[in-house]
């Protein structure tokens, strides 16, 4: 993709999300989870004498949600789906055929390297 000045711009498609964006997203998910937890505890208190079984469900949600929110918030950074490989294999040397191998062996013997 050429730029105005004639220089070429490359896109990095396999890069991970930036650290600041990742932390911001995890904080947002945690705050949303804690808001749902707070609302469920308030609903449990309000519904205690009206609908006791709904109040138990809301209370259970209010008890379990902090653990789930912390686990999700501390899950760590996402892994990139397909990062390019940084491993560069060594080039394969072509095999010598038998005539060249024999000539090289004779050269080595005659020079006294054996």
């Amino acid at each position: 993709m050429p730029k105005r000045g004639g220089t070429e711009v490359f896109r990095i498609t396999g890069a991970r999300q930036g650290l600041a964006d990742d932390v911001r997203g995890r904080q947002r998910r945690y705050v949303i989870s804690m808001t749902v937890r707070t609302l469920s505890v308030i609903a449990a208190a309000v519904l205690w004498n009206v609908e006791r079984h709904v109040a138990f469900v809301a209370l259970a949600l209010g008890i379990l949600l902090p653990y789930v929110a912390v686990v999700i918030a501390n899950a760590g950074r996402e892994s990139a789906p397909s990062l390019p490989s940084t491993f560069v294999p060594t080039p394969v040397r072509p095999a010598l055929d038998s005539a060249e191998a024999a000539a090289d062996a004779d050269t080595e013997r005659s020079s006294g390297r054996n």
Side-chain angles (χ1 to χ4, degrees):
M1 169 189 308
K3 212 174 171 183
R4 286 185 186 162
T7 60
E8 193 171 349
V9 177
F10 297 98
R11 290 186 182 185
I12 303 173
T13 58
R16 293 192 305 186
Q17 186 179 22
L19 182 60
D21 293 336
D22 183 57
V23 169
R24 190 177 314 118
R26 285 193 275 154
Q27 287 174 342
R28 187 179 68 239
R29 287 190 299 269
Y30 183 78
V31 167
I32 290 170
S33 298
M34 288 298 103
T35 303
V36 170
R37 182 233 183 192
T38 302
L39 292 176
S40 67
V41 169
I42 291 171
V46 169
L47 295 173
W48 190 257
N49 289 328
V50 180
E51 291 286 331
R52 184 118 345 155
H53 62 281
V54 176
F56 277 125
V57 171
L59 189 61
L61 184 65
I63 290 172
L64 295 176
L65 206 56
Y67 172 75
V68 173
V70 168
V71 169
I72 290 172
N74 292 330
R77 294 191 70 186
E78 63 187 32
S79 60
S82 61
L83 288 176
S85 175
T86 57
F87 175 73
V88 178
T90 57
V92 178
R93 295 179 58 187
L96 298 174
D97 65 346
S98 60
E100 291 177 359
D104 286 341
D106 290 339
T107 307
E108 285 181 13
R109 274 187 251 141
S110 64
S111 66
R113 286 191 233 167
N114 197 9

